[in-house]
Amino acid sequence: MKYSGYAYIYTIGCQMNVYDSEKLASILNSYGFEKTGDMDKADIVVCNTCSIRHKAEEKAFSFLGRFAKIKKKNPHLITVMAGCVAQQEGKKAFDRVPHLDIVLGTRAFSRFGQHIDSVKSGKKRITDIEDSGVIYEALPDTSCFDENKVSRFITIMQGCENFCTYCVVPYVRGRERSRSPESIIEEITLYAKAGVKEITLLGQNVNSYGQKEGQSSFPELLAGINEINGIHRIRFATSHPKDLSMELIHAIRDLDKVCNHLHLPVQSGSNQILKKMNRGYTREKYMDRIMALKEQCRGIALSTDIIVGFPSETKEDFTDTMDLLRQIEFDSIFAFAYSDRSSAPAARFSDQIDEKEKLVRLNRLLELQEYYTEKKNKEQVGKTLEILVEGKSCKKRDGLEQSFQNMEQMAGRTQSNKIVHFPSEHARIGDIIKIRIENAYPHSLWGHPLGA
Ligand code: 5AD
Ligand code: SF4
């Protein structure tokens, strides 16, 4: 059916959820619901949820809880819980949010429209957490794309079979499956035609892309995407250290559009903890991959994920993680305090760490990394770097030379994913320009366009 109204979508969590929300927006658009940023105007509200940590899950319940009152005033408002919490909770979601209309699991997107029709014809409390067994591959409607968004995500595979003991992903996103290379290339070609310059390929473990299906390997897929006209940069996340092949390292080195940056989650620097996490590698094996990357891909930027306070993590285990940071000197890290997830095995492990102690460790780790992030930023001063212009800068620099004072301040990213602010009269969103880096700050760089 075709309706007429507005849809407000609130996204919590990872890049894959951002991408999924766009797919939901496309479905809603085809049913006549135009996307709005104004919640008060909405006829349908969708919360695309994340269950990776307790905090993210609570955020979803508290957002949706607000609609109890609003629905009393406007009973026609449709409320939807989509994504990982929906998948995990199923019907139980109605216990905490009784006014919800639809609980839409991670693999039920293809049936979203039909559930809207059912709500419109009076059906209440619909739950769909079925797995259709195939990836929802409908191409996005690029006509509702924001033309200023020159960098986009694309999911190339779903699910995970690694079963790290702290992680809910295998339970909420299901077994691993890959999209066909043809449909990925078709979708990215559409993006390129819509003005997209940078693409980030998403999967829980892109290194095992296509293996189950016996189709192209991940490096072969990268080579295919490298040929797409209009795309200038290719990024991907996430790589599992245990499956990082030399073939992929060579692809990063040799394919001109693949950025010289890798996000390689280590999670812990202690072998004991890595084993309990079921990560499938040791600290030494991880170091070996890092050395190969640094040797083959000169100047590569590295980032990682770390969990502190995993059950039984001793002070010595934590010191091992701190040492790893000193040894590798990552450009940036994402660090988290371990959060118990009832469906993941680690929730039943003994020796849970006190919450306060987790925060002490987290802050020490972040403080140490601040030093390396700033150090890496300072190393860029004096270099000329290629920037993809992404928008106007929200930062105003004091003490600019006279000639720059009246110019627009713009912002973009380097290949290594560092933010650069710069003054420019001519730079447009989507341009790739060369900037000479003049200053480094803890979280960004500042420079002048070449020739300015
Ligand atoms: N607690 C804390 N952090 C977690 N992550 C995954 N599960 C948990 C958890 N239970 C982190 C990992 C992963 C990132 C996406 O989230 O570091 O790489
Ligand atoms: Fe979770 Fe491990 Fe799979 Fe990553 S590789 S999604 S951490 S189970």
Side-chain angles (χ1 to χ4, degrees):
M1 283 279 288
K2 189 100 178 167
Y3 307 98
S4 162
Y6 289 101
Y8 181 86
I9 304 181
Y10 179 57
T11 307
I12 302 170
C14 65
Q15 298 169 332
M16 207 173 266
N17 269 13
V18 173
Y19 175 77
D20 283 350
S21 289
E22 289 200 333
K23 291 260 162 152
L24 292 171
S26 278
I27 298 172
L28 287 166
N29 198 47
S30 71
Y31 274 72
F33 293 102
E34 197 184 317
K35 202 170 153 187
T36 177
D38 180 357
M39 206 158 65
D40 297 334
K41 238 168 86 176
D43 301 284
I44 179 162
V45 171
V46 181
C47 181
N48 195 8
T49 61
C50 167
S51 60
I52 199 114
R53 282 171 290 275
H54 180 68
K55 225 180 184 169
E57 199 174 297
E58 283 308 303
K59 204 167 160 186
F61 281 112
S62 94
F63 174 79
L64 286 164
R66 286 155 56 179
F67 291 92
K69 269 194 200 146
I70 303 171
K71 271 202 92 157
K72 276 200 182 123
K73 274 194 234 148
N74 174 12
H76 298 294
L77 175 71
I78 302 175
T79 50
V80 184
M81 176 190 264
C84 294
V85 180
Q87 185 71 35
Q88 179 183 283
E89 299 296 305
K91 281 191 181 3
K92 280 191 288 164
F94 297 115
D95 298 344
R96 285 187 68 183
V97 196
H99 53 274
L100 258 183
D101 294 299
I102 305 174
V103 173
L104 191 75
T106 51
R107 286 151 284 160
F109 285 19
S110 59
R111 297 178 294 274
F112 187 27
Q114 129 201 352
H115 298 320
I116 296 174
D117 287 338
S118 300
V119 173
K120 284 280 190 188
S121 56
K123 202 166 170 210
K124 296 208 180 323
R125 294 191 171 185
I126 295 167
T127 313
D128 185 351
I129 52 170
E130 291 303 306
D131 184 355
S132 52
V134 287
I135 298 191
Y136 179 66
E137 294 206 60
L139 293 174
D141 176 3
T142 53
S143 69
C144 46
F145 273 15
D146 170 0
E147 62 189 29
N148 284 334
K149 208 168 149 195
V150 289
S151 176
R152 286 194 170 266
F153 303 128
I154 175 169
T155 293
I156 61 163
M157 59 201 296
Q158 280 181 351
C160 182
E161 327 212 315
N162 288 305
F163 293 98
C164 301
T165 53
Y166 51 80
C167 187
V168 288
V169 169
Y171 310 97
V172 291
R173 292 260 178 191
R175 305 309 288 254
E176 186 180 288
R177 61 202 113 176
S178 300
R179 288 177 61 178
S180 70
E182 293 78 20
S183 92
I184 296 167
I185 290 190
E186 189 184 357
E187 187 165 335
I188 300 177
T189 307
L190 261 182
Y191 283 0
K193 286 190 184 137
V196 173
K197 299 284 188 305
E198 178 181 270
I199 197 85
T200 304
L201 313 174
L202 303 176
Q204 306 301 340
N205 179 13
V206 293
N207 309 59
S208 59
Y209 169 80
Q211 272 172 20
K212 246 186 176 178
E213 290 78 5
Q215 48 198 31
S216 327
S217 68
F218 185 58
E220 283 164 350
L221 177 71
L222 284 175
I225 299 170
N226 202 59
E227 297 299 313
I228 300 177
N229 284 335
I231 295 295
H232 291 268
R233 283 181 174 182
I234 306 167
R235 301 184 187 278
F236 55 88
T238 298
S239 269
H240 196 302
K242 79 177 164 53
D243 299 318
L244 177 61
S245 64
M246 269 327 269
E247 202 191 348
L248 179 55
I249 295 177
H250 289 153
I252 301 172
R253 183 192 64 190
D254 299 336
L255 296 171
D256 60 327
K257 295 181 184 173
V258 174
C259 291
N260 201 21
H261 169 221
L262 189 67
H263 183 66
L264 197 64
V266 64
Q267 312 297 2
S268 170
S270 151
N271 279 336
Q272 273 195 85
I273 297 296
L274 286 172
K275 194 150 184 239
K276 288 184 181 162
M277 287 177 163
N278 189 32
R279 288 292 287 171
Y281 55 85
T282 57
R283 176 192 176 110
E284 292 70 30
K285 171 107 193 285
Y286 184 86
M287 281 309 301
D288 174 72
R289 297 290 79 188
I290 293 287
M291 296 320 280
L293 280 160
K294 287 190 173 178
E295 213 173 275
Q296 297 292 322
C297 313
R298 293 268 159 217
I300 190 166
L302 295 166
S303 56
T304 199
D305 288 345
I306 288 177
I307 297 177
V308 299
F310 185 79
S312 83
E313 185 188 69
T314 60
K315 293 222 153 81
E316 289 70 36
D317 293 323
F318 176 66
T319 305
D320 285 348
T321 303
M322 296 280 276
D323 281 346
L324 188 86
L325 253 57
R326 290 189 190 96
Q327 210 176 336
I328 296 178
E329 303 194 353
F330 290 104
D331 291 72
S332 62
I333 65 165
F334 296 91
F336 312 97
Y338 167 74
S339 168
D340 240 357
R341 308 284 61 214
S342 58
S343 45
R348 289 170 292 284
F349 287 5
S350 54
D351 301 323
Q352 297 278 336
I353 308 297
D354 175 70
E355 292 300 324
K356 270 197 198 136
E357 177 61 22
K358 283 184 202 170
L359 287 184
V360 169
R361 291 182 194 179
L362 184 63
N363 287 331
R364 280 187 58 203
L365 194 85
L366 290 172
E367 204 178 304
L368 176 68
Q369 181 55 36
E370 285 265 307
Y371 169 78
Y372 290 108
T373 303
E374 195 165 354
K375 178 176 177 207
K376 290 280 159 183
N377 282 352
K378 281 183 180 150
E379 283 170 10
Q380 310 307 314
V381 174
K383 289 185 186 165
T384 297
L385 302 177
E386 201 188 78
I387 309 296
L388 169 62
V389 183
E390 288 184 9
K392 286 186 185 161
S393 169
C394 49
K395 287 227 156 79
K396 282 263 170 261
R397 289 267 170 251
D398 295 330
L400 284 184
E401 275 173 45
Q402 189 77 35
S403 55
F404 293 122
Q405 270 173 15
N406 297 324
M407 282 187 198
E408 187 90 77
Q409 304 289 307
M410 304 292 283
R413 277 175 198 269
T414 63
Q415 271 209 27
S416 59
N417 217 17
K418 296 186 198 310
I419 299 172
V420 181
H421 301 276
F422 58 94
S424 177
E425 272 178 336
H426 311 292
R428 296 282 164 269
I429 293 173
D431 287 352
I432 301 227
I433 57 172
K434 292 216 155 75
I435 303 273
R436 200 188 123 84
I437 306 300
E438 306 289 347
N439 281 315
Y441 302 94
H443 300 287
S444 63
L445 303 169
W446 195 85
H448 294 159
L450 226 59

